[in-house]
């Protein structure tokens, strides 16, 4: 089991334009090397809006860092009972048909 060394909130003070909101640096052990996990947080105030927007920059970063990229979908944000769904490796979820994609102009 790995322990988290630290978590950095990249956009805490202002929007940085990075394709993620949080970085967790996880120390390794005998069987796992240290690694960084990148989290993109997508919120909605509703309890059922399943779709959300990802920028091309976010999607390409998700592809480049497949196993270390996680989207956290937060439902009922800013309420007393938010719900979080974790989408680990959204690129692979999309490729396998477990996650859909829309295209907009």
């Amino acid at each position: 089991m790995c322990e988290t060394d630290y978590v950095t909130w990249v956009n805490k003070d202002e929007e940085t334009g990075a394709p993620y909101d949080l970085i967790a640096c996880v120390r390794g052990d005998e069987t796992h090397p240290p690694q960084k996990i990148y989290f993109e947080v997508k919120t909605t105030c509703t309890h059922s809006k399943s779709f959300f927007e990802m920028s091309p920059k976010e999607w390409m970063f998700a592809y480049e860092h497949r196993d270390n990229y996680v989207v956290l979908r937060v439902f009922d944000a800013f309420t007393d009972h938010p719900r979080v769904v974790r989408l680990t490796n959204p690129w692979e979820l999309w490729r396998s048909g477990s996650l859909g994609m829309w295209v907009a102009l």
Side-chain angles (χ1 to χ4, degrees):
M1 185 74 150
C2 295
E3 295 180 30
T4 302
D5 281 336
Y6 64 87
V7 175
T8 301
W9 183 4
V10 177
N11 296 322
K12 181 179 180 181
D13 297 320
E14 63 183 327
E15 177 60 46
T16 63
Y20 48 84
D21 296 309
L22 307 165
I23 303 172
C25 293
V26 181
R27 75 183 91 159
D29 58 24
E30 298 81 32
T31 58
H32 300 92
Q35 59 183 323
K36 289 184 180 180
I37 309 295
Y38 303 92
F39 294 90
E40 175 62 21
V41 181
K42 301 293 186 180
T43 61
T44 180
C45 294
T46 73
H47 62 276
S48 61
K49 183 181 172 189
S50 61
F51 61 91
F52 54 88
E53 184 175 320
M54 285 188 74
S55 71
K57 188 175 183 181
E58 291 167 343
W59 191 241
M60 287 308 301
F61 195 87
Y63 170 74
E64 293 165 356
H65 298 273
R66 288 176 280 264
D67 292 330
N68 294 18
Y69 193 84
V70 177
V71 174
L72 298 175
R73 179 59 166 160
V74 181
F75 295 91
D76 297 314
F78 313 110
T79 71
D80 292 337
H81 303 286
R83 177 173 60 97
V84 179
V85 174
R86 180 183 175 129
L87 301 170
T88 301
N89 193 344
W91 179 270
E92 179 59 29
L93 292 173
W94 168 75
R95 194 196 63 71
S96 69
S98 299
L99 186 68
M101 180 183 297
W102 293 4
V103 177
L105 297 175

